Amino acid sequence: MRHVRLGTDPTEVGADIRAAISAWGAGSSVLGGFAVFGARPPGAPRALDAVVVLPRGIVVVLGVDLAEPALKVEAPLQTPWTVDGWPLVRTEGAVNPGLEGLESAAALARSLQSRSLEPLPVAAVVVVGPYAGQVTQPTTDLHRGVRVVSPNTTSILAAARELATYERSCPVEPAQQLLQVLAGNSPFSLDELVEEGFPVSPETDLATADTMLIPKLTEPSTARSTSRRTGLIAAASVLVVLCGALIAWWVVGGSTAAPHQPAAAVQRVDGVEFAQQVTDQEKTCAPHAFGDVQRWFEQRPCRNLTRAVFDTEVSGRPAAVSVTIVELPDEQAAGELRALADEPGTGGVTDLVAEGRGWPGGPESFDNAAQVVQQSGNEVRIVQTIWRHRDSSPEDVGLRALAERGLRLTPRP
């Protein structure tokens, strides 16, 4: 594990975080990779105590300073945390540090995706200090890519092992580009990064490998001339059949053939492919909202509204993802909208399917969808996910995990 320190620790527990990660040692016998301390990726809500780039994933590490050591920390993502039975009160930022970790991870993922870098998953580890005897997280929250741990080597290392599990390793050259994004330059050579577990060349991905090239069968020399004559005769026969079919198509049906439909734009997040089906962009938001959110927009107009709907599959189950991006005049307005949209029963922004922009085989509605809301500066993203051919639930773990991936999708015109 190689280290880069950009500045002072943003939290008091940051020193313990550095010590814990430094204890992993050099080389790939444990995890390999490199850690950048004190970085603040574009769009992140705060400076990060560490960003750990491993061959199979990226982990942002945030420190949380408690007033004193705690025996038990209850750390759900949807409600404020409790420390030894007392609520952890926050005067600024997200409702709890876990959501702040997810926002930081999503901001870094979008920054890397905008630069077309290796699509490694970005997860978050929140380190609670100076000490937490027991940390409790709901099972559903564990699937959202965030862990809350004590500031020691064993806990942080175990969390990194659970989260950095991408299907293939990041090659050494993209790893060096990641380092340049985080640190502004690359203090490590390619050989040093190879020693940390980043392969020299990409691993073969059978899902995208070119299967059109079929190995040529070498024939014995005695039969080569006969085979060539046979092949020429067969080729001539096929050519005659094709010419006849082409003439028939031209005369009978060529003029009435359906126009070619362009392929859907496909994006890939954490190995999952998302095909964009419909998209739309508006300058006003109130006409495309409902409930309390619509009334809020009538008082505070937005600058831009971008919506898109994608289809995808999760473990063979068809799903649909609605992505809404609202650009507001300032961060304060964005914070108000995020809080309002994240509150159940307050309405929301109408998805394109509800406005009649569906497609054959697509979902009929986004009723009972799982929803994730995220703020980054003056921008708010609202992602909804449903199963296309089965009942959906807002609490479905699979749909919520899919919504987290949807935060990293970028609608294309």
Side-chain angles (χ1 to χ4, degrees), residues 45-332:
R46 50 163 280 192
L48 305 175
D49 291 84
V51 178
V52 182
V53 180
L54 305 168
R56 293 184 181 270
I58 302 173
V59 179
V60 301
V61 184
L62 291 85
V64 177
D65 293 325
L66 302 178
E68 57 185 14
L71 295 177
K72 183 177 182 180
V73 176
E74 296 182 3
L77 287 177
Q78 298 299 324
T79 57
W81 290 5
T82 59
V83 179
D84 290 336
W86 294 89
L88 180 63
V89 179
R90 310 194 84 204
T91 57
E92 58 182 16
V95 66
N96 60 58
L99 285 178
E100 199 168 58
L102 285 178
E103 291 176 2
S104 299
L108 176 57
R110 288 197 300 271
S111 177
L112 299 178
Q113 193 171 22
S114 67
R115 292 169 170 82
S116 300
L117 293 179
E118 186 73 11
L120 288 175
V122 184
V125 172
V126 180
V127 181
V128 181
Y131 172 79
Q134 179 185 359
V135 178
T136 303
Q137 286 184 263
T139 303
T140 54
D141 289 352
L142 297 176
H143 294 276
R144 299 182 66 179
V146 62
R147 298 290 186 273
V148 184
V149 299
S150 292
N152 58 69
T153 299
T154 303
S155 299
I156 301 176
L157 178 59
R161 285 185 181 277
E162 291 179 7
L163 297 172
T165 56
Y166 191 51
E167 58 190 12
R168 61 180 183 272
S169 295
C170 174
V172 62
E173 291 184 357
Q176 193 173 53
Q177 295 173 5
L178 283 170
L179 183 57
Q180 291 173 344
V181 171
L182 294 170
N185 56 51
S186 180
F188 308 130
S189 66
L190 294 178
D191 290 339
E192 288 175 317
L193 294 178
V194 169
E195 292 175 358
E196 294 298 329
F198 298 98
V200 176
S201 59
E203 300 173 0
T204 302
D205 185 355
L206 295 180
T208 59
D210 186 356
T211 58
M212 295 302 294
L213 298 178
I214 302 175
K216 180 180 178 181
L217 178 63
T218 303
E219 302 178 15
S221 58
T222 55
R224 186 171 299 168
S225 59
T226 302
S227 175
R228 181 175 298 178
R229 288 195 300 271
T230 304
L232 290 174
I233 294 172
S237 301
V238 171
L239 182 60
V240 170
V241 173
L242 288 176
C243 288
L246 180 61
I247 293 172
W249 174 85
W250 182 266
V251 173
V252 178
S255 59
T256 60
H260 174 69
Q261 297 294 329
V266 175
Q267 299 178 45
R268 186 165 178 163
V269 178
D270 296 351
V272 178
E273 290 189 348
F274 296 82
Q276 180 177 300
Q277 298 296 333
V278 291
T279 186
D280 184 72
Q281 192 166 10
E282 302 284 348
K283 293 297 183 182
T284 57
C285 291
H288 305 284
F290 59 96
D292 294 339
V293 173
Q294 183 181 44
R295 289 187 287 274
W296 187 89
F297 278 128
E298 291 171 351
Q299 301 297 323
R300 303 168 184 81
C302 69
R303 287 183 175 178
N304 193 53
L305 172 64
T306 303
R307 293 174 295 170
V309 182
F310 300 78
D311 68 2
T312 185
E313 284 191 1
V314 180
S315 301
R317 294 179 293 179
V321 181
S322 172
V323 177
T324 298
I325 303 175
V326 182
E327 182 184 347
L328 294 153
D330 51 55
E331 291 191 20
Q332 180 179 352

